[in-house]
Amino acid sequence: MRTNDLILRTTTILIAFILLAFSIYLFLAGHNAPGGGFIGGLMTAAAFVLMYMTYGYDQVKKIIPVNFRFMIPVGLLIAVLTGAGSFLFGEPFLSQTFAHLHHVPIFGEMELATAMLFDLGVYLTVVGITLTIILSIANDQ
């Protein structure tokens, strides 16, 4: 017998959207301000966990067919390669650089930093590990 969870299902759509949007903001602002890949990844994982709790594992898996275990090595590889990439320029491990792009359509002026690539690796690793652990516990695998 299903419970009357109309309010939960309706608010989850809005809350998950807000969590995902805020996680993207934290990820993009992380190399210049508080935030970054770690907290952005945790916020993304929180949005996914909320969706799994509300709609169920099978339903969300149909909509988002992502193997979160695959995200862990991909994120680690991106982070390590970003750090090791500085060796190509004779710099110490994890050295960073940045450049300004002028007149980017829609965004205007943007700053690109190699720290963002490292944050991407951390982001993917955190999302992968967090969801793998929580879903493994929830599914008793």
Side-chain angles (χ1 to χ4, degrees):
M1 184 168 140
R2 288 192 53 187
T3 59
N4 187 3
D5 55 0
L6 178 65
I7 294 174
L8 177 63
R9 288 176 178 267
T10 305
T11 57
T12 293
I13 296 168
L14 177 64
I15 293 170
F17 176 77
I18 291 170
L19 284 172
L20 289 171
F22 190 57
S23 73
I24 292 170
Y25 166 76
L26 288 173
F27 170 73
L28 293 175
H31 62 281
N32 284 335
F38 186 78
I39 191 65
L42 287 178
M43 293 286 290
T44 300
F48 282 125
V49 168
L50 177 63
M51 288 188 283
Y52 277 111
M53 287 173 43
T54 303
Y55 299 109
Y57 181 81
D58 294 330
Q59 193 73 10
V60 175
K61 202 65 174 169
K62 288 178 189 174
I63 298 168
I64 307 170
V66 175
N67 183 356
F68 294 107
R69 291 181 184 188
F70 182 70
M71 293 175 82
I72 300 167
V74 170
L76 288 173
L77 185 66
I78 290 172
V80 169
L81 289 178
T82 302
S86 59
F87 291 146
L88 296 174
F89 301 100
E91 297 292 327
F93 185 70
L94 284 177
S95 295
Q96 71 144 349
T97 187
F98 64 93
H100 288 279
L101 297 178
H102 302 286
H103 308 295
V104 177
I106 298 173
F107 296 108
E109 184 176 335
M110 285 184 60
E111 177 185 282
L112 290 180
T114 57
M116 185 178 286
L117 290 175
F118 180 77
D119 277 345
L120 176 64
V122 172
Y123 177 88
L124 292 174
T125 303
V126 169
V127 170
I129 288 175
T130 304
L131 288 172
T132 298
I133 291 171
I134 290 173
L135 293 177
S136 294
I137 292 170
N139 290 329
D140 197 25
Q141 294 179 351

